[in-house]
Every structure is written in C-alpha cells, then in structure tokens.
Amino acid sequence: RTDFYTEELKRRRFADYPPYVRLFLIEMEKNSNEALQKLIKKVQIFLQKIGAEKYIAGTLLQKRGQGYQYRIILKIPDGDAVPEGLSGLYDLSGLKVEPDPQII
C-alpha cells in the first residue's frame, strides 16, 4: 500500500494535481448564450481585478440541454497563495465554484 501512495503522489506532482497545486473549477450555466456571455465577462473582469487571470488553465463552452455551460479551470501552483478575494466569486449569481474538484 505504501508503494501505491508513493507512486500516486509522484504522478500527481508530475501532472500538477492536488496536493501540489490548487485547482478551482468555476461553472456557469444560463439558458441563453447572450446571458452566459455577460456572466463570463463579469467573471473575467473579477478575475483580472484580483490578479487571478494568470491562473486560468483552461475553458470549455458546451451546449447543455436547453442552455449553455461554460467552465473555467484555475490552476494555482504550489508555493503561490490563493489570490485574496477569490471567495468573492461566491457572491456572483449563476455560477458554482468547486475547489480541488475530483473530476474536471
């Protein structure tokens, strides 16, 4: 068992996964693409304001049923502090924030 954990931690360090980085999955969902684009812009401005835009590791836009979904992944390297004010994302409506998600 110890070998499994040791190997898993090596793989996680190599792949920049937790616990060696902090990941934040920001999911936004709206019924119309226009409404979603407005929310995306609001989130981008917020991330720029707190200096977190440099941590954007990926984005994904998907059509989901009757609506649209957009995901942003923030990847904060080991040694960097989580940007102060990031918790302010929770004040924005229409999005969900998941720290260190199990599945991306």
Side-chain angles (χ1 to χ4, degrees), residues 12 17-18 23-27 60 62 64 69 71-74 96-104:
R12 286 175 171 268
Y17 282 148
L23 296 176
F24 291 87
L25 176 61
I26 304 165
E27 292 182 311
L60 176 65
Q62 291 181 303
R64 303 274 302 203
Q69 183 183 58
R71 292 176 165 189
I72 297 175
I73 299 168
L74 297 181
K96 178 173 82 172
V97 180
E98 188 175 348
D100 295 326
Q102 296 295 312
I103 299 173
I104 295 183

Side-chain angles (χ1 to χ4, degrees), residues 26-70:
I26 304 165
E27 292 182 311
M28 296 163 263
E29 198 164 324
K30 292 289 184 181
N31 289 333
S32 75
N33 192 28
E34 287 178 359
L36 181 62
Q37 293 303 321
K38 287 179 185 178
L39 181 57
I40 292 169
K41 187 67 175 167
K42 192 183 289 189
V43 170
Q44 288 173 334
I45 290 169
F46 176 84
L47 293 174
Q48 288 173 352
K49 183 179 173 185
I50 65 167
E53 77 279 0
K54 65 184 175 185
Y55 297 118
I56 295 174
T59 60
L60 176 65
L61 175 64
Q62 291 181 303
K63 177 91 167 94
R64 303 274 302 203
Q66 298 296 320
Y68 296 86
Q69 183 183 58
Y70 191 76

Side-chain angles (χ1 to χ4, degrees), residues 69-96:
Q69 183 183 58
Y70 191 76
R71 292 176 165 189
I72 297 175
I73 299 168
L74 297 181
K75 192 173 191 179
I76 303 171
D78 191 24
D80 283 14
V82 173
E84 194 168 315
L86 189 62
S87 63
L89 281 171
Y90 292 104
D91 296 335
L92 301 174
S93 65
L95 61 87
K96 178 173 82 172

